[in-house]
Amino acid sequence: MMTVHIKTPLGPARIRGDENGIASVSALNTEDITYDEVIPEVLEDCAYQLREYFEGKRQEFDLKLNPEGSDFQKRVWDELLKIPYGKTTSYLELSKKLGDVKAIRAVAGANGKNPLWVIVPCHRVIGSDGSMTGYGAGIWRKKWLLEHESPYKQQSLF
């Protein structure tokens, strides 16, 4: 498994993967990182596409993914991939799409274990009341990502 650390507007991120695909992308809660100058070939496209996303030049990722998880978690993550850029859904709606409204807690748990930060857009899932519910990378990152994707940009008053 190859690893690379890259800079993002939300702090450092770690990409892990191999010839079978990208296994994980994680936001790191430290600035004490040595960024890699050379990106392993199997991770280059992921790093490039993430850079394009953060620059506002990419709305969808085209990568071979290989996350580790249970069959249920993978079903949830596949459903997350269907949430369009700039849109949100609720945990309840996600549960309904998966065919079991009573599975809302399990869906939320699988959402929270998503190993592919940004690429599998778990940040697009919010509470039924529109609230910013838990987010492993930090609510401040979730808000930033949703604002970044919003078609309605905040205008400066000055």
Side-chain angles (χ1 to χ4, degrees):
M1 189 76 56
M2 305 295 287
T3 302
V4 69
H5 295 95
I6 63 168
K7 287 183 183 182
T8 79
L10 299 174
R14 177 186 306 121
I15 304 169
R16 294 181 62 241
D18 57 25
E19 62 279 347
N20 296 317
I22 303 301
S24 68
V25 176
S26 307
L28 303 177
N29 291 319
T30 180
E31 290 298 324
D32 189 25
I33 292 290
T34 301
Y35 293 101
D36 300 292
E37 291 184 29
V38 177
I39 298 174
E41 187 174 343
V42 295
L43 305 179
E44 281 179 344
D45 200 30
C46 183
Y48 179 77
Q49 288 187 36
L50 282 167
R51 186 174 336 116
E52 285 184 327
Y53 169 84
F54 284 115
E55 291 173 351
K57 298 175 183 174
R58 175 174 291 275
Q59 295 184 359
E60 293 180 20
F61 293 92
D62 181 22
L63 298 164
K64 183 177 178 184
L65 304 177
N66 189 27
E68 290 184 22
S70 70
D71 289 343
F72 178 76
Q73 288 171 330
K74 289 178 181 181
R75 280 185 51 225
V76 171
W77 302 336
D78 286 343
E79 199 62 39
L80 292 172
L81 289 168
K82 298 175 185 174
I83 306 169
Y85 181 94
K87 304 288 184 189
T88 59
T89 194
S90 69
Y91 293 99
L92 179 60
E93 286 302 313
L94 198 54
S95 298
K96 288 178 183 176
K97 287 180 181 173
L98 288 162
D100 187 357
V101 70
K102 294 179 183 175
I104 192 167
R105 286 185 183 265
V107 167
N111 193 60
K113 291 190 179 351
N114 169 24
L116 293 161
W117 178 62
V118 178
I119 294 169
V120 174
C122 60
H123 60 277
R124 297 179 188 155
V125 182
I126 58 175
S128 295
D129 62 357
S131 63
M132 295 287 166
T133 55
Y135 187 62
I139 294 292
W140 69 274
R141 285 189 177 109
K142 182 173 188 161
K143 288 179 181 177
W144 190 99
L145 291 166
L146 292 175
E147 288 174 12
H148 175 69
E149 294 182 2
S150 173
Y152 310 104
K153 302 296 182 199
Q154 175 68 38
Q155 300 295 316
S156 173
L157 298 175
F158 304 98

